[in-house]
mmCIF file of all heavy atoms in Angstrom:
data_model
loop_
_atom_site.group_PDB
_atom_site.id
_atom_site.type_symbol
_atom_site.label_atom_id
_atom_site.label_comp_id
_atom_site.label_asym_id
_atom_site.label_seq_id
_atom_site.Cartn_x
_atom_site.Cartn_y
_atom_site.Cartn_z
ATOM 1 N N VAL A 94 -122.887 -8.970 29.208
ATOM 2 C CA VAL A 94 -122.451 -8.186 28.056
ATOM 3 C C VAL A 94 -122.742 -9.012 26.813
ATOM 4 O O VAL A 94 -122.302 -10.155 26.708
ATOM 5 C CB VAL A 94 -120.936 -7.861 28.140
ATOM 6 C CG1 VAL A 94 -120.467 -7.150 26.889
ATOM 7 C CG2 VAL A 94 -120.630 -7.052 29.384
ATOM 8 N N GLU A 95 -123.503 -8.433 25.879
ATOM 9 C CA GLU A 95 -123.818 -9.152 24.647
ATOM 10 C C GLU A 95 -122.646 -9.022 23.676
ATOM 11 O O GLU A 95 -122.221 -7.922 23.348
ATOM 12 C CB GLU A 95 -125.076 -8.587 23.993
ATOM 13 C CG GLU A 95 -125.494 -9.361 22.766
ATOM 14 C CD GLU A 95 -126.737 -8.804 22.118
ATOM 15 O OE1 GLU A 95 -127.837 -9.170 22.557
ATOM 16 O OE2 GLU A 95 -126.592 -7.990 21.189
ATOM 17 N N ILE A 96 -122.118 -10.163 23.246
ATOM 18 C CA ILE A 96 -121.015 -10.157 22.298
ATOM 19 C C ILE A 96 -121.454 -10.855 21.018
ATOM 20 O O ILE A 96 -122.443 -11.581 21.003
ATOM 21 C CB ILE A 96 -119.746 -10.830 22.878
ATOM 22 C CG1 ILE A 96 -120.027 -12.285 23.214
ATOM 23 C CG2 ILE A 96 -119.239 -10.085 24.079
ATOM 24 C CD1 ILE A 96 -118.795 -13.096 23.405
ATOM 25 N N GLN A 97 -120.702 -10.615 19.960
ATOM 26 C CA GLN A 97 -121.001 -11.211 18.662
ATOM 27 C C GLN A 97 -119.871 -12.161 18.299
ATOM 28 O O GLN A 97 -118.755 -11.739 18.043
ATOM 29 C CB GLN A 97 -121.140 -10.126 17.605
ATOM 30 C CG GLN A 97 -122.257 -9.160 17.905
ATOM 31 C CD GLN A 97 -122.326 -8.031 16.913
ATOM 32 O OE1 GLN A 97 -121.694 -8.058 15.865
ATOM 33 N NE2 GLN A 97 -123.123 -7.026 17.236
ATOM 34 N N ILE A 98 -120.177 -13.444 18.301
ATOM 35 C CA ILE A 98 -119.176 -14.468 18.014
ATOM 36 C C ILE A 98 -119.272 -14.834 16.536
ATOM 37 O O ILE A 98 -120.347 -15.194 16.053
ATOM 38 C CB ILE A 98 -119.396 -15.714 18.893
ATOM 39 C CG1 ILE A 98 -119.294 -15.326 20.367
ATOM 40 C CG2 ILE A 98 -118.399 -16.807 18.534
ATOM 41 C CD1 ILE A 98 -119.661 -16.423 21.323
ATOM 42 N N PRO A 99 -118.151 -14.742 15.800
ATOM 43 C CA PRO A 99 -118.176 -15.119 14.386
ATOM 44 C C PRO A 99 -118.471 -16.610 14.219
ATOM 45 O O PRO A 99 -117.953 -17.440 14.960
ATOM 46 C CB PRO A 99 -116.773 -14.796 13.885
ATOM 47 C CG PRO A 99 -116.073 -14.103 14.981
ATOM 48 C CD PRO A 99 -116.856 -14.275 16.227
ATOM 49 N N ASP A 100 -119.329 -16.932 13.264
ATOM 50 C CA ASP A 100 -119.707 -18.316 13.005
ATOM 51 C C ASP A 100 -119.780 -18.509 11.496
ATOM 52 O O ASP A 100 -120.453 -17.750 10.803
ATOM 53 C CB ASP A 100 -121.067 -18.603 13.660
ATOM 54 C CG ASP A 100 -121.458 -20.062 13.577
ATOM 55 O OD1 ASP A 100 -121.430 -20.618 12.465
ATOM 56 O OD2 ASP A 100 -121.810 -20.633 14.619
ATOM 57 N N PHE A 101 -119.095 -19.523 10.967
ATOM 58 C CA PHE A 101 -119.055 -19.726 9.524
ATOM 59 C C PHE A 101 -120.415 -20.082 8.943
ATOM 60 O O PHE A 101 -120.743 -19.694 7.835
ATOM 61 C CB PHE A 101 -118.035 -20.803 9.160
ATOM 62 C CG PHE A 101 -116.624 -20.363 9.385
ATOM 63 C CD1 PHE A 101 -115.855 -20.954 10.371
ATOM 64 C CD2 PHE A 101 -116.069 -19.357 8.630
ATOM 65 C CE1 PHE A 101 -114.552 -20.544 10.595
ATOM 66 C CE2 PHE A 101 -114.764 -18.923 8.840
ATOM 67 C CZ PHE A 101 -114.008 -19.527 9.822
ATOM 68 N N SER A 102 -121.239 -20.804 9.675
ATOM 69 C CA SER A 102 -122.527 -21.226 9.132
ATOM 70 C C SER A 102 -123.618 -20.164 9.276
ATOM 71 O O SER A 102 -124.501 -20.058 8.445
ATOM 72 C CB SER A 102 -122.985 -22.529 9.789
ATOM 73 O OG SER A 102 -123.165 -22.329 11.175
ATOM 74 N N GLN A 103 -123.558 -19.358 10.347
ATOM 75 C CA GLN A 103 -124.622 -18.388 10.599
ATOM 76 C C GLN A 103 -124.155 -16.938 10.481
ATOM 77 O O GLN A 103 -124.950 -16.027 10.663
ATOM 78 C CB GLN A 103 -125.204 -18.615 11.992
ATOM 79 C CG GLN A 103 -125.824 -19.973 12.162
ATOM 80 C CD GLN A 103 -126.282 -20.210 13.590
ATOM 81 O OE1 GLN A 103 -126.065 -19.399 14.466
ATOM 82 N NE2 GLN A 103 -126.930 -21.349 13.810
ATOM 83 N N GLY A 104 -122.908 -16.702 10.233
ATOM 84 C CA GLY A 104 -122.380 -15.340 10.167
ATOM 85 C C GLY A 104 -121.950 -14.848 11.535
ATOM 86 O O GLY A 104 -120.783 -14.813 11.843
ATOM 87 N N VAL A 105 -122.926 -14.475 12.354
ATOM 88 C CA VAL A 105 -122.639 -13.982 13.698
ATOM 89 C C VAL A 105 -123.663 -14.582 14.666
ATOM 90 O O VAL A 105 -124.847 -14.621 14.375
ATOM 91 C CB VAL A 105 -122.714 -12.444 13.762
ATOM 92 C CG1 VAL A 105 -122.638 -11.939 15.179
ATOM 93 C CG2 VAL A 105 -121.614 -11.811 12.929
ATOM 94 N N VAL A 106 -123.178 -15.038 15.807
ATOM 95 C CA VAL A 106 -124.040 -15.550 16.867
ATOM 96 C C VAL A 106 -123.905 -14.603 18.060
ATOM 97 O O VAL A 106 -122.791 -14.328 18.507
ATOM 98 C CB VAL A 106 -123.632 -16.988 17.279
ATOM 99 C CG1 VAL A 106 -124.450 -17.460 18.460
ATOM 100 C CG2 VAL A 106 -123.756 -17.931 16.111
ATOM 101 N N LYS A 107 -125.034 -14.091 18.544
ATOM 102 C CA LYS A 107 -125.006 -13.211 19.709
ATOM 103 C C LYS A 107 -125.116 -14.057 20.961
ATOM 104 O O LYS A 107 -125.935 -14.957 21.044
ATOM 105 C CB LYS A 107 -126.131 -12.190 19.640
ATOM 106 C CG LYS A 107 -125.933 -11.209 18.511
ATOM 107 C CD LYS A 107 -126.977 -10.145 18.505
ATOM 108 C CE LYS A 107 -126.680 -9.193 17.349
ATOM 109 N NZ LYS A 107 -127.580 -8.064 17.338
ATOM 110 N N LYS A 108 -124.251 -13.755 21.922
ATOM 111 C CA LYS A 108 -124.179 -14.526 23.153
ATOM 112 C C LYS A 108 -123.839 -13.569 24.293
ATOM 113 O O LYS A 108 -123.211 -12.543 24.076
ATOM 114 C CB LYS A 108 -123.081 -15.584 22.994
ATOM 115 C CG LYS A 108 -123.079 -16.668 24.005
ATOM 116 C CD LYS A 108 -122.035 -17.705 23.631
ATOM 117 C CE LYS A 108 -122.135 -18.917 24.515
ATOM 118 N NZ LYS A 108 -121.152 -19.923 24.192
ATOM 119 N N ASP A 109 -124.250 -13.914 25.494
ATOM 120 C CA ASP A 109 -123.905 -13.099 26.661
ATOM 121 C C ASP A 109 -122.676 -13.660 27.354
ATOM 122 O O ASP A 109 -122.574 -14.865 27.577
ATOM 123 C CB ASP A 109 -125.064 -13.065 27.659
ATOM 124 C CG ASP A 109 -126.168 -12.119 27.247
ATOM 125 O OD1 ASP A 109 -125.964 -11.336 26.303
ATOM 126 O OD2 ASP A 109 -127.244 -12.153 27.866
ATOM 127 N N LYS A 110 -121.753 -12.769 27.680
ATOM 128 C CA LYS A 110 -120.614 -13.086 28.546
ATOM 129 C C LYS A 110 -120.769 -12.204 29.767
ATOM 130 O O LYS A 110 -121.358 -11.121 29.697
ATOM 131 C CB LYS A 110 -119.285 -12.770 27.851
ATOM 132 C CG LYS A 110 -118.963 -13.643 26.672
ATOM 133 C CD LYS A 110 -118.314 -14.920 27.110
ATOM 134 C CE LYS A 110 -117.896 -15.735 25.894
ATOM 135 N NZ LYS A 110 -116.731 -16.523 26.118
ATOM 136 N N THR A 111 -120.254 -12.639 30.881
ATOM 137 C CA THR A 111 -120.409 -11.876 32.114
ATOM 138 C C THR A 111 -119.096 -11.239 32.529
ATOM 139 O O THR A 111 -118.038 -11.854 32.440
ATOM 140 C CB THR A 111 -120.937 -12.775 33.243
ATOM 141 O OG1 THR A 111 -120.079 -13.911 33.381
ATOM 142 C CG2 THR A 111 -122.348 -13.245 32.949
ATOM 143 N N LEU A 112 -119.192 -9.986 32.983
ATOM 144 C CA LEU A 112 -118.027 -9.243 33.463
ATOM 145 C C LEU A 112 -118.335 -8.650 34.825
ATOM 146 O O LEU A 112 -119.451 -8.189 35.069
ATOM 147 C CB LEU A 112 -117.656 -8.119 32.496
ATOM 148 C CG LEU A 112 -117.242 -8.505 31.087
ATOM 149 C CD1 LEU A 112 -116.916 -7.267 30.275
ATOM 150 C CD2 LEU A 112 -116.056 -9.444 31.098
ATOM 151 N N CYS A 113 -117.334 -8.640 35.690
ATOM 152 C CA CYS A 113 -117.496 -8.040 37.020
ATOM 153 C C CYS A 113 -117.346 -6.518 36.906
ATOM 154 O O CYS A 113 -116.906 -5.993 35.887
ATOM 155 C CB CYS A 113 -116.478 -8.612 37.997
ATOM 156 S SG CYS A 113 -114.763 -8.179 37.643
ATOM 157 N N SER A 114 -117.705 -5.820 37.954
ATOM 158 C CA SER A 114 -117.661 -4.354 37.921
ATOM 159 C C SER A 114 -116.227 -3.835 37.796
ATOM 160 O O SER A 114 -115.995 -2.808 37.164
ATOM 161 C CB SER A 114 -118.352 -3.765 39.149
ATOM 162 O OG SER A 114 -117.737 -4.213 40.331
ATOM 163 N N ARG A 115 -115.248 -4.535 38.363
ATOM 164 C CA ARG A 115 -113.848 -4.091 38.231
ATOM 165 C C ARG A 115 -113.374 -4.185 36.789
ATOM 166 O O ARG A 115 -112.691 -3.296 36.296
ATOM 167 C CB ARG A 115 -112.920 -4.899 39.138
ATOM 168 C CG ARG A 115 -113.048 -4.529 40.594
ATOM 169 C CD ARG A 115 -112.006 -5.155 41.451
ATOM 170 N NE ARG A 115 -111.684 -6.524 41.033
ATOM 171 C CZ ARG A 115 -110.652 -7.207 41.477
ATOM 172 N NH1 ARG A 115 -109.852 -6.684 42.352
ATOM 173 N NH2 ARG A 115 -110.434 -8.437 41.059
ATOM 174 N N CYS A 116 -113.744 -5.264 36.109
ATOM 175 C CA CYS A 116 -113.346 -5.412 34.702
ATOM 176 C C CYS A 116 -114.100 -4.422 33.826
ATOM 177 O O CYS A 116 -113.534 -3.897 32.862
ATOM 178 C CB CYS A 116 -113.557 -6.846 34.230
ATOM 179 S SG CYS A 116 -112.313 -7.981 34.899
ATOM 180 N N LEU A 117 -115.359 -4.139 34.155
ATOM 181 C CA LEU A 117 -116.098 -3.126 33.402
ATOM 182 C C LEU A 117 -115.456 -1.752 33.566
ATOM 183 O O LEU A 117 -115.395 -0.972 32.623
ATOM 184 C CB LEU A 117 -117.561 -3.084 33.844
ATOM 185 C CG LEU A 117 -118.443 -4.215 33.326
ATOM 186 C CD1 LEU A 117 -119.832 -4.133 33.953
ATOM 187 C CD2 LEU A 117 -118.541 -4.199 31.813
ATOM 188 N N LYS A 118 -114.951 -1.468 34.755
ATOM 189 C CA LYS A 118 -114.259 -0.195 34.974
ATOM 190 C C LYS A 118 -112.961 -0.154 34.171
ATOM 191 O O LYS A 118 -112.617 0.868 33.572
ATOM 192 C CB LYS A 118 -113.963 0.009 36.460
ATOM 193 C CG LYS A 118 -113.360 1.350 36.746
ATOM 194 C CD LYS A 118 -113.158 1.595 38.216
ATOM 195 C CE LYS A 118 -112.598 2.993 38.365
ATOM 196 N NZ LYS A 118 -111.924 3.235 39.577
ATOM 197 N N ALA A 119 -112.244 -1.272 34.118
ATOM 198 C CA ALA A 119 -111.016 -1.347 33.324
ATOM 199 C C ALA A 119 -111.328 -1.181 31.835
ATOM 200 O O ALA A 119 -110.576 -0.532 31.100
ATOM 201 C CB ALA A 119 -110.294 -2.665 33.577
ATOM 202 N N VAL A 120 -112.440 -1.756 31.390
ATOM 203 C CA VAL A 120 -112.874 -1.595 30.000
ATOM 204 C C VAL A 120 -113.165 -0.124 29.729
ATOM 205 O O VAL A 120 -112.787 0.416 28.682
ATOM 206 C CB VAL A 120 -114.114 -2.467 29.706
ATOM 207 C CG1 VAL A 120 -114.802 -2.033 28.423
ATOM 208 C CG2 VAL A 120 -113.722 -3.932 29.621
ATOM 209 N N ASP A 121 -113.821 0.541 30.659
ATOM 210 C CA ASP A 121 -114.135 1.961 30.502
ATOM 211 C C ASP A 121 -112.865 2.784 30.335
ATOM 212 O O ASP A 121 -112.773 3.645 29.461
ATOM 213 C CB ASP A 121 -114.948 2.452 31.699
ATOM 214 C CG ASP A 121 -115.370 3.903 31.565
ATOM 215 O OD1 ASP A 121 -115.959 4.255 30.525
ATOM 216 O OD2 ASP A 121 -115.111 4.685 32.499
ATOM 217 N N GLU A 122 -111.852 2.526 31.157
ATOM 218 C CA GLU A 122 -110.584 3.248 31.060
ATOM 219 C C GLU A 122 -109.917 2.994 29.715
ATOM 220 O O GLU A 122 -109.412 3.923 29.075
ATOM 221 C CB GLU A 122 -109.662 2.837 32.206
ATOM 222 C CG GLU A 122 -110.145 3.301 33.562
ATOM 223 C CD GLU A 122 -109.387 2.650 34.712
ATOM 224 O OE1 GLU A 122 -108.435 1.886 34.475
ATOM 225 O OE2 GLU A 122 -109.772 2.918 35.870
ATOM 226 N N SER A 123 -109.908 1.749 29.263
ATOM 227 C CA SER A 123 -109.309 1.411 27.974
ATOM 228 C C SER A 123 -110.096 2.026 26.823
ATOM 229 O O SER A 123 -109.514 2.472 25.832
ATOM 230 C CB SER A 123 -109.222 -0.101 27.795
ATOM 231 O OG SER A 123 -108.313 -0.644 28.715
#
Side-chain angles (χ1 to χ4, degrees):
V94 175
E95 184 180 275
I96 61 164
Q97 299 176 12
I98 300 173
D100 187 308
F101 290 113
S102 62
Q103 298 175 355
V105 171
V106 175
K107 293 184 179 185
K108 194 174 188 180
D109 282 349
K110 293 276 185 149
T111 54
L112 298 180
C113 67
S114 59
R115 286 189 322 168
C116 286
L117 284 174
K118 185 176 182 201
V120 164
D121 183 52
E122 292 168 4
S123 293

